[in-house]
Amino acid sequence: MNYQLLIESYLFGTSLSEQEIELLSLELETQIMNIGISTEFGCLNSAPSHICEGLNLKKDTHWIMCLAEILDLHEPLGSGKTKSVEVFDLLLKKGLVVG
């Protein structure tokens, strides 16, 4: 299943299963690895405004940040940084966002 459909389904009130959360987590990790190879992948495209609004993120937020945010909502924070902070730090380090 497409990760955009999973996120939209969640925003319309459907709970995510453990398997779906794992799929989103795998997608995030894949996108993080791909940023090291190229910045031409879709993860740096802006997510649709309804998804950004539904996740309480700024308009035109990158897809990769949306994935991190939804995972932060579903995975308890252990010690350390949230996925959103880790992704933001990576984007900042790569010069893809301004801090």
Side-chain angles (χ1 to χ4, degrees):
M1 181 178 247
N2 180 312
Y3 67 89
Q4 180 175 345
L5 294 175
L6 285 176
I7 293 172
E8 286 175 332
S9 178
Y10 169 74
L11 294 176
F12 285 117
T14 303
S15 297
L16 294 174
S17 69
E18 290 295 321
Q19 184 178 15
E20 291 167 331
I21 293 168
E22 185 62 33
L23 180 66
L24 292 174
S25 182
L26 181 61
E27 179 65 29
L28 177 64
E29 293 306 315
T30 300
Q31 289 187 13
I32 288 170
M33 287 187 319
N34 286 335
I35 285 177
I37 299 167
S38 173
T39 58
E40 300 300 315
F41 294 99
C43 63
L44 297 177
N45 292 340
S46 297
S49 59
H50 69 281
I51 289 179
C52 296
E53 288 174 23
L55 293 172
N56 295 319
L57 298 172
K58 292 189 316 186
K59 183 180 176 191
D60 297 326
T61 295
H62 296 304
W63 266 116
I64 194 168
M65 286 299 299
C66 293
L67 278 170
E69 184 66 26
I70 202 157
L71 289 170
D72 285 345
L73 294 171
H74 286 87
E75 296 177 348
L77 176 63
S79 61
K81 299 176 181 177
T82 63
K83 296 216 183 284
S84 297
V85 170
E86 288 176 10
V87 169
F88 183 81
D89 287 349
L90 174 64
L91 295 174
L92 189 62
K93 181 179 176 184
K94 297 275 185 188
L96 300 169
V97 295
V98 178

